Amino acid sequence: MAAFMTSNVEIRQIDLSKGKGLFATKDFKKGDVLFEERPIVSSQFLWNEFYNYTACEYCLKSLETAETQCQRLTENPSLSLPFPECCEAQPAQYVMCPQCQVVYCCDGCRTAAWTEYHRTLCMGPSRHDGHHPLAQLGETWRNIHFPPETSSIMLLAKMIAIVKQSDDGISKFSQFVNLPVNKEEEIAHKLLGEDFKQPLELLRQMVTECLFEETIQQWYTPEGFRSLFALIGMNGQGIGSSAISVWVKNCEKLQLSDEDKQRLDGLIDQMYEDLDRVSGTFLNCEGSGLYRLQSACNHSCLPNAEITFPHNNHCLALVATEDIQTEEEICISYLNECNIGRSRHSRQKILRENYLFHCGCTRCAAEADDEDVTSEEEEYDEEDEGMTE
């Protein structure tokens, strides 16, 4: 069987129905880092950016200081955080693209972006200018796909730009599953249903007009464009960064007296209460990316590994949540912390709409005879569908 291997894990073809999987090539203990990985491409969500979550255009690192971010998200401009040395934000290093004014956390990210895709996407005037083609594309996207976002038209634009700027750019994306419809299961990706058909055609026309590339002209056909959205929807990994969380983690490492530690813990608890009251769970700079290794991880409702972002940017780490044996398949949950605790019926519904498969993991098999759905979950599903369609 064809396989791609690193020192810790191996991608293998399992079968025609399940496709690829990621397998351990050594034993791991719970808490071990299996690997770290940078994405082929990543992008901040456009609504997240619109609401002033400032992130590096390349690596998605949160650019606000912890104090500034906390002041904004609690709507308390007088709030002051102790131990400013625990904040890792370094505004003195931030740089802009001199043409379109997008911001990077450092010159290294600006150079990397220019080399990989930004030369194509820059297009001269400020990105904040409503006449910039990508600003118009972004506005159209926001009018189509309301929060919470699960995808971004800018990720697709960057994919096209990468192909334009690289001789082998198309090969970077050939490994990803991109079926808009699973004909065997008779299910389609939720962003590609009838309600999204006309808006999707508008996006296709706009992308074709400003970013056409002859070598990938198949991407611009109606079917090809649908396949790109399916690729992003099925393989995109959510990314989050936060200056506040970095500050909190560094504060936890401080050597303090018991009295000072108790005082700091109380301040942090109160801070999170205020954040929750004003901003709820929307505390991070959020986006998504495409990862070669991570995308090979299959889903389980009883996962043995989880994704973390230890560097406050788009670099992910896969961490074992259980002991993993050599040759064992490594599985993650495609569901967030809230949804993984829901009933089998609700989990299956989310997986069908977003990833086009019926889960057959051991937990789903064990719960096959359970009650399908609770009234609370039905209400949640109706609210969620109203926000995303």
Side-chain angles (χ1 to χ4, degrees):
M1 292 185 292
F4 173 83
M5 189 171 182
T6 69
S7 58
N8 290 342
V9 297
E10 181 180 37
I11 298 176
R12 299 178 190 166
Q13 186 71 26
I14 299 174
D15 54 40
L16 291 178
S17 61
K18 195 171 183 179
K20 296 178 296 185
L22 195 67
F23 294 81
T25 59
K26 57 182 284 189
D27 292 346
F28 293 98
K29 295 293 186 183
K30 181 178 179 179
D32 285 350
V33 175
L34 282 67
F35 62 81
E36 293 192 0
E37 182 179 19
R38 293 185 180 277
I40 298 170
V41 60
S42 64
S43 180
Q44 185 179 6
F45 290 147
L46 289 172
W47 275 110
N48 190 257
E49 181 182 10
F50 182 80
Y51 284 117
N52 298 317
Y53 292 80
T54 55
C56 174
E57 197 275 341
Y58 182 75
C59 77
L60 273 60
K61 177 177 288 187
S62 176
L63 296 182
E64 292 176 288
T65 65
E67 184 171 273
T68 301
Q69 189 175 40
C70 201
Q71 289 172 346
R72 177 174 62 83
L73 293 175
T74 60
E75 297 180 349
N76 179 6
S78 64
L79 183 147
S80 177
L81 295 182
F83 307 108
E85 68 275 13
C86 290
C87 177
E88 296 181 4
Q90 300 182 39
Q93 295 185 10
Y94 300 167
V95 294
M96 284 186 176
C97 169
Q99 283 79 40
C100 68
Q101 310 299 302
V102 297
V103 184
Y104 300 95
C105 67
C106 63
D107 195 57
C109 279
R110 178 172 64 178
T111 300
W114 184 262
T115 301
E116 294 176 23
Y117 59 80
H118 191 66
R119 188 169 69 249
T120 296
L121 300 181
C122 185
M123 303 182 188
S126 170
R127 190 74 66 82
H128 301 292
D129 184 338
H131 297 293
H132 192 292
L134 294 184
Q136 295 177 341
L137 188 63
E139 183 179 1
T140 301
W141 171 259
R142 288 197 304 271
N143 289 333
I144 290 170
H145 188 29
F146 297 99
E149 287 178 280
T150 55
S151 183
S152 174
I153 192 65
M154 281 307 301
L155 198 65
L156 189 151
K158 287 184 179 182
M159 290 169 63
I160 293 172
I162 286 172
V163 173
K164 278 178 170 282
Q165 292 187 205
S166 174
D167 292 337
D168 63 345
I170 186 67
S171 66
K172 297 179 186 293
F173 306 108
S174 60
Q175 73 178 54
F176 296 106
V177 176
N178 64 344
L179 295 177
V181 176
N182 183 331
K183 294 181 180 178
E184 182 180 343
E185 301 287 355
E186 297 184 345
I187 47 181
H189 193 278
K190 69 176 183 179
L191 288 181
L192 300 176
E194 285 299 315
D195 292 343
F196 203 63
K197 189 174 182 179
Q198 189 172 352
L200 191 70
E201 175 59 19
L202 175 60
L203 287 173
R204 185 186 71 84
Q205 293 173 5
M206 294 180 72
V207 169
T208 302
E209 183 176 341
C210 67
L211 289 170
F212 184 75
E213 167 60 32
E214 187 173 354
T215 60
I216 49 170
Q217 54 185 294
Q218 69 274 15
W219 284 12
Y220 302 90
T221 66
E223 186 60 31
F225 201 68
R226 282 168 54 85
S227 293
L228 286 180
F229 262 94
L231 184 155
I232 292 172
M234 295 176 70
N235 297 279
Q237 166 64 47
I239 300 168
S241 67
S242 168
I244 294 173
S245 64
V246 172
W247 176 81
V248 170
K249 288 177 182 177
N250 287 336
C251 282
E252 291 172 350
K253 300 174 185 176
L254 294 172
Q255 300 297 316
L256 302 174
S257 67
D258 290 344
E259 182 179 351
D260 288 342
K261 176 65 173 172
Q262 186 174 5
R263 186 180 301 113
L264 178 60
D265 288 344
L267 183 149
I268 291 173
D269 288 343
Q270 183 61 53
M271 177 190 72
Y272 275 118
E273 286 184 19
D274 294 340
L275 288 167
D276 182 66
R277 175 176 49 81
V278 177
S279 299
T281 59
F282 297 99
L283 304 182
N284 296 340
C285 295
E286 296 181 350
S288 63
L290 296 175
Y291 297 79
R292 181 180 56 177
L293 289 175
Q294 175 273 333
S295 67
C297 288
N298 285 313
H299 166 83
S300 172
C301 296
L302 286 175
N304 56 11
E306 66 179 1
I307 302 295
T308 66
F309 291 91
H311 306 295
N312 192 37
N313 60 16
H314 64 188
C315 180
L316 67 75
L318 187 67
V319 180
T321 56
E322 305 289 344
D323 291 349
I324 298 174
Q325 306 300 313
T326 304
E327 299 297 310
E328 184 178 349
E329 185 177 5
I330 300 162
C331 292
I332 60 176
S333 172
Y334 294 176
L335 305 172
N336 62 30
E337 187 175 348
C338 175
N339 290 331
I340 193 67
R342 299 173 73 185
S343 70
R344 175 181 178 274
H345 170 87
S346 292
R347 299 197 309 271
Q348 295 277 7
K349 180 177 185 292
I350 296 167
L351 293 169
R352 282 197 309 272
E353 292 179 343
N354 290 277
Y355 303 102
L356 308 188
F357 74 92
H358 294 281
C359 183
C361 73
T362 54
R363 179 182 171 193
C364 285
E367 296 175 357
D369 296 328
D370 288 0
E371 182 179 356
D372 277 347
V373 65
T374 65
S375 58
E376 291 85 355
E377 287 181 336
E378 285 178 339
E379 181 179 345
Y380 181 92
D381 287 340
E382 290 173 1
E383 293 176 355
D384 188 52
E385 287 173 2
M387 288 162 49
T388 57
E389 291 184 354

